[in-house]
Amino acid sequence: MGKIIALANQKGGVGKTTTTINLAASLATLEKKVLVVDADPQANASSGLGVDIKQAEYTIYECIIDRADVREAIHDTEIETLKVISSHINLVGAEIEMLNLKNREKILKEVLAPLKDEFDYILIDCSPSLGLITINALTAADSVIIPVQAEYFALEGISKLLNTIKIIKSKLNPSLEIEGFLLTMYDARLRQANQIYDEVKRHFQELVFETVIQRNVKLSEAPSYGLPTILYDADSTGSKNHMTLAKELISRNGKATK
C-alpha cells in the first residue's frame, strides 16, 4: 500500500513545487514507484516534469469534475518509475463547480484510491491557498510535508495551515499526520537563516526534517528544461539535498533504501 503525501503551505513561493518535483525524482531514482499529482492550476509541477500541458487530454480537472478514468490522465516522465497526473488552468474554476457535488471534500481521495496499491509514494503538489482543492488533497493524504522558507516571515501563516490540518483531522481525515517541516531556500551564510532554522526546530522539534534545501541556481534552471534537477545536474547542491531528503523520508517511514 502506497503513501499519499500532500505538500502544502498557503504561502506562495516557499518551494512546494520545486520540492515535489525533485523529491519525487529522487524517490524514483531510489527505485520507488512514484506518482506526482499536480493540484495547482498553474501546472508548474507538470511542465517541470516535461509534460506538455496543452496536449494533455485528461488532467486532474477531468478526473475530479467529470470523473474521467484516472489512469487516462497519467503521463510518463524521463524517469521510468516516475509518473505524473497533470493540472490545468480550468482547476481555478473547479472549486465553484464542486460546491454542489456530494462529498465534495473527498472527491480526490476517491479518484486516487485505485492507484494507492500501484505506487510507493503519491505526492500531491497543492496550490498556495487553503481552498477546496487543497482541502481535498489533505483529505486524500496520509501525511503532509510543509515547506518553510528560511526567511523572516517564514512562520507567518503556518498557524492558519496547522489549524486547517486540525479541522480536517477532526472532521474529514482522522489519520492525517504531519510528515515534517522542510526548510527551503536555506543559505547557511545568513545569520537570519540559521535563526529561523533554530526557531522552527524549537517550535516543531522532531517534526522538522534534518535535511535542509539550500539556495541553488540549478534548482531554478531545471524546470525550464522540463527536467528534475537530478537529470539536469546530478552533482548540483539542489540535487544532492533532495536525494538526502528522499532517503530521510524513506527511513522515517521504515523502508530501507537500496
Side-chain angles (χ1 to χ4, degrees):
M1 181 72 99
K3 184 168 196 180
I4 301 179
I5 303 175
L7 286 94
N9 189 335
Q10 78 275 17
K11 193 173 188 298
V14 297
K16 276 190 303 295
T17 302
T18 301
T19 303
T20 305
I21 290 170
N22 291 294
L23 174 58
S26 299
L27 288 166
T29 306
L30 293 167
E31 298 183 11
K32 301 296 176 191
K33 288 182 180 170
V34 186
L35 174 67
V36 168
V37 179
D38 191 347
D40 184 345
Q42 294 175 74
N44 291 337
S46 308
S47 55
L49 286 168
V51 175
D52 183 350
I53 49 179
K54 293 188 185 76
Q55 299 298 319
E57 188 178 348
Y58 295 105
T59 68
I60 196 64
Y61 172 82
E62 283 78 21
C63 296
I64 289 172
I65 300 300
D66 304 328
R67 292 304 176 98
D69 181 353
V70 68
R71 285 184 180 81
E72 299 272 349
I74 296 175
H75 297 267
D76 293 330
T77 71
E78 296 277 338
I79 301 173
E80 194 181 339
T81 55
L82 174 57
K83 311 291 182 189
V84 57
I85 296 177
S86 66
S87 185
H88 194 279
I89 192 65
N90 286 353
L91 208 57
V92 169
E95 305 207 341
I96 295 164
E97 295 178 65
M98 291 165 76
L99 287 176
N100 297 322
L101 297 180
K102 196 178 166 204
N103 281 340
R104 59 178 183 253
E105 297 90 356
K106 297 184 178 177
I107 296 171
L108 187 57
K109 183 175 186 165
E110 291 165 17
V111 166
L112 297 179
L115 302 176
K116 220 175 166 185
D117 287 335
E118 296 175 27
F119 293 92
D120 297 309
Y121 292 96
I122 297 175
L123 303 184
I124 308 174
D125 184 31
C126 297
S127 67
S129 77
L130 291 177
L132 194 48
I133 300 287
T134 299
I135 287 167
N136 261 264
L138 293 171
T139 303
D142 299 302
S143 66
V144 54
I145 290 175
I146 302 170
V148 179
Q149 195 176 354
E151 290 187 356
Y152 183 64
F153 293 114
L155 295 177
E156 197 180 76
I158 282 187
S159 59
K160 201 172 177 185
L161 175 62
L162 293 178
N163 195 43
T164 302
I165 291 169
K166 196 172 158 188
I167 292 165
I168 286 168
K169 254 179 96 79
S170 67
K171 293 191 162 46
L172 295 165
N173 183 5
S175 58
L176 181 65
E177 299 294 338
I178 292 173
E179 189 74 46
F181 291 84
L182 174 69
L183 226 69
T184 61
M185 305 179 196
Y186 182 80
D187 187 341
R189 295 168 303 178
L190 300 178
R191 195 174 70 195
Q192 188 188 61
N194 292 302
Q195 285 171 341
I196 286 159
Y197 181 78
D198 291 342
E199 193 179 346
V200 173
K201 195 81 177 159
R202 192 173 67 249
H203 268 81
F204 303 112
Q205 296 162 7
E206 75 282 352
L207 284 175
V208 182
F209 283 102
E210 294 296 326
T211 309
V212 296
I213 308 299
Q214 292 163 267
R215 279 199 179 277
N216 179 240
V217 159
K218 302 291 184 187
L219 277 179
S220 48
E221 285 178 359
S224 62
Y225 294 89
L227 293 171
T229 313
I230 200 164
L231 295 183
Y232 179 65
D233 185 349
D235 290 326
S236 67
T237 303
S239 176
K240 288 174 179 172
N241 286 168
H242 284 94
M243 184 57 78
T244 306
L245 175 64
K247 289 175 179 173
E248 184 178 351
L249 179 66
I250 291 167
S251 70
R252 275 184 178 219
N253 286 280
K255 300 171 185 173
T257 51
K258 297 205 176 192

